Amino acid sequence: MITRDGAIAALNDPQAPPGVLAEIAGAYPDLRTGVAVHPHSYPELLGWLASQGDPALTSTVQGVMVSRQAPPVSMPAPVMPAPGVPPMGMPPIGQPGAYPGPGGYPQPGAYPGPGGYPQPGGYPQPGAYPQPGGYPGGHPAFSDGISGVQKALDSLTGFEGKPIVRFRDLFSDTLKRHARADMDSLMYSGTEAMHNDRQWRLPWLYSRVFLVLLASFILLWILVWIFGDQAANAIPGFIFTGALVMPATVMFFFWELNQAKNVSLFDVLRIFFFGAAMSLLLVFIVGSVTSLFENGTDDIFSAAVVAVFTGITEEFAKVAAVFILVRKFQGCLISNGLLIGAIVGTGFAVFETMGYGTTAWQQGVLLNTLVYRGLLSVGGHVAWAPIAGAAIMLAQAPGSTKVSLKTMSWGKFLPLFCVPVVLHTLWDFTAFTVNSEVVGDLVFVTLIVVAWVFLVRLINSGLRQYAGLMSQNS
């Protein structure tokens, strides 16, 4: 919630966003006159102010409307979601296409009442993203001079125009101070309460998750280091925490980027464990067949065969799990595909690293294994699976509200799905054949960069898709 000093400063700022004015009007009744005369006050907010039963305020509002060459407002008091929260302009509730439900677009009557209005002017909020106007219609299309490679990349990822957010923008809120209320608002995700909070947000909570997990990992390492064999019971926790630090950080990063806020923390836990178990089971089922064609990694050809089979089987297993789990969420949102993929990839990566960690403990190289795999995990399963998840969404027929094989275009799905398969194959082939740690690490870093080039474009495609849906329903 905005502080009183912050509210006064915003009223003195002619560039204050409309959403901030709405918050001030709900929180500080004595400042409503200042809200009414602010240049960014919008018709719905003025109408709500006029309905509050304050003759002086109503007179001020009418004067503002007259000065803007608009007729004086006379609006009935709306049904509010909570005391003192002004409405945000959206189409009538309960009409077809009025406002999407928590997981789909559009769902006639799915929205419970006027309290769920988003911030004024639709999405995104003025100043919410570093690239103003980066949503649909905000920028001209790329010029014809774009290279064929970039055009192909745009086609694969559904990328259009200039980016809404660039890579560095994604982390611009990370080091800012955030109040407890900022975190509480994120906890609404996937609940009815989120209907009252439709703000766009850049991710920041993931960094706090990282610090908590890292601190826990360090404390457990100190315990094991000091007490040695006496702390053997702490080893499983040490391995689990070490395997979790980086993948879980990336997972929460995608959770925060999901502006639809239709995936709850319970959904995250459910998909994390069930998705990982399902995908691992599928890997072993498919692997039991493909292993008949493998002859070890003793030579380049055999290593290539194993790498290809591993890339195909593991990515197929994860995307199958993502497909099954994402069908619950309506709307075919790219951001949902990215998030569910990230959760499944995180669970897969954590369980896999725990297996390697157990072997490493027996060999006396546990810490090195956990740290090394943790650092590289940002470009592994937790990056590959989101690309595959986004491919599922991009392949759905236009207008689809639920993921289905019947509405999937394989011509759109397979090219993008091949990206994680190829990245995974090259990753394993490098691990099998490159003896130089320096060369191997350079290859891994390059593959990580390539994966995130795709991810940043897919993130922008997801933001643009959601902004477009909100614009259509505003």
Side-chain angles (χ1 to χ4, degrees), residues 155-156 394-395 408-417:
S155 177
L156 276 177
L394 285 167
M408 178 177 286
S409 169
W410 294 99
K412 291 183 178 180
F413 170 76
L414 290 175
L416 186 54
F417 174 64

Side-chain angles (χ1 to χ4, degrees), residues 296-380:
T297 58
D298 296 334
D299 54 70
I300 295 293
F301 177 77
S302 298
V305 171
V306 173
V308 169
F309 276 123
T310 302
I312 293 174
T313 56
E314 293 193 2
E315 295 310 313
F316 168 78
K318 285 182 294 182
V319 78
V322 172
F323 180 85
I324 293 171
L325 294 167
V326 82
R327 296 185 69 210
K328 169 190 173 183
F329 302 97
Q330 295 185 359
C332 298
L333 295 176
I334 297 171
S335 59
N336 280 176
L338 288 167
L339 174 56
I340 305 307
I343 300 172
V344 171
T346 295
F348 193 98
V350 169
F351 290 168
E352 185 180 61
T353 296
M354 289 178 67
Y356 283 106
T358 302
T359 302
W361 175 36
Q362 298 169 350
Q363 297 173 348
V365 290
L366 176 56
L367 181 62
N368 290 341
T369 299
L370 292 177
V371 172
Y372 187 68
R373 287 186 61 85
L375 292 174
L376 294 180
S377 67
V378 296

Side-chain angles (χ1 to χ4, degrees), residues 48-64:
W48 182 82
L49 291 171
S51 70
Q52 297 307 297
D54 183 339
L57 180 59
T58 300
S59 177
T60 299
V61 170
Q62 291 178 342
V64 169

Side-chain angles (χ1 to χ4, degrees), residues 160-181:
E160 297 178 3
K162 291 188 177 180
I164 295 177
V165 290
R166 294 165 293 183
F167 183 76
R168 66 174 180 270
D169 299 329
L170 294 172
F171 307 97
S172 61
D173 274 12
T174 301
L175 299 180
K176 293 180 180 178
R177 293 182 62 87
H178 293 274
R180 176 77 185 190

Side-chain angles (χ1 to χ4, degrees), residues 16-105:
V20 173
L21 300 179
E23 185 178 355
I24 296 171
Y28 303 103
D30 59 313
L31 299 180
R32 288 173 179 169
T33 299
V35 172
V37 300
H38 193 280
H40 279 176
S41 60
Y42 51 98
E44 293 90 344
L45 179 57
L46 290 172
W48 182 82
L49 291 171
S51 70
Q52 297 307 297
D54 183 339
L57 180 59
T58 300
S59 177
T60 299
V61 170
Q62 291 178 342
V64 169
M65 296 297 286
V66 169
S67 68
R68 296 181 183 179
Q69 298 183 344
V73 296
S74 177
M75 296 179 62
V79 179
M80 304 307 298
V85 180
M88 311 297 178
M90 286 293 286
I93 299 303
Q95 294 185 7
Y99 192 84
Y105 302 87

Side-chain angles (χ1 to χ4, degrees), residues 183-379:
M183 183 179 70
D184 291 344
S185 64
L186 292 171
M187 300 301 111
Y188 294 149
S189 295
T191 70
E192 290 297 323
M194 74 95 183
H195 290 280
N196 301 326
D197 181 6
R198 309 295 295 185
Q199 294 283 344
W200 288 72
R201 291 183 175 85
L202 289 172
W204 62 271
L205 185 64
Y206 74 95
S207 62
R208 279 56 167 183
V209 171
F210 168 74
L211 292 176
V212 169
L213 292 174
L214 180 62
S216 301
F217 175 65
I218 292 174
L219 288 174
L220 288 170
W221 172 69
I222 292 174
L223 171 63
V224 172
W225 177 55
I226 292 177
F227 292 97
D229 293 340
Q230 299 179 45
N233 289 341
I235 293 295
F238 178 57
I239 296 174
F240 177 70
T241 308
L244 190 64
V245 176
M246 293 305 297
T249 299
V250 178
M251 178 180 72
F252 272 91
F253 175 84
F254 280 105
W255 182 67
E256 290 184 83
L257 273 174
N258 179 36
Q259 300 299 334
K261 302 182 182 72
N262 59 339
V263 181
S264 68
L265 283 177
F266 174 75
D267 288 326
V268 172
L269 289 174
R270 176 179 61 86
I271 296 169
F272 173 86
F273 286 104
F274 187 69
M278 184 192 307
S279 57
L280 283 169
L281 176 61
L282 288 172
V283 164
F284 278 89
I285 292 175
V286 177
S288 64
V289 177
T290 58
S291 62
L292 299 175
F293 303 95
E294 297 177 7
N295 298 311
T297 58
D298 296 334
D299 54 70
I300 295 293
F301 177 77
S302 298
V305 171
V306 173
V308 169
F309 276 123
T310 302
I312 293 174
T313 56
E314 293 193 2
E315 295 310 313
F316 168 78
K318 285 182 294 182
V319 78
V322 172
F323 180 85
I324 293 171
L325 294 167
V326 82
R327 296 185 69 210
K328 169 190 173 183
F329 302 97
Q330 295 185 359
C332 298
L333 295 176
I334 297 171
S335 59
N336 280 176
L338 288 167
L339 174 56
I340 305 307
I343 300 172
V344 171
T346 295
F348 193 98
V350 169
F351 290 168
E352 185 180 61
T353 296
M354 289 178 67
Y356 283 106
T358 302
T359 302
W361 175 36
Q362 298 169 350
Q363 297 173 348
V365 290
L366 176 56
L367 181 62
N368 290 341
T369 299
L370 292 177
V371 172
Y372 187 68
R373 287 186 61 85
L375 292 174
L376 294 180
S377 67
V378 296

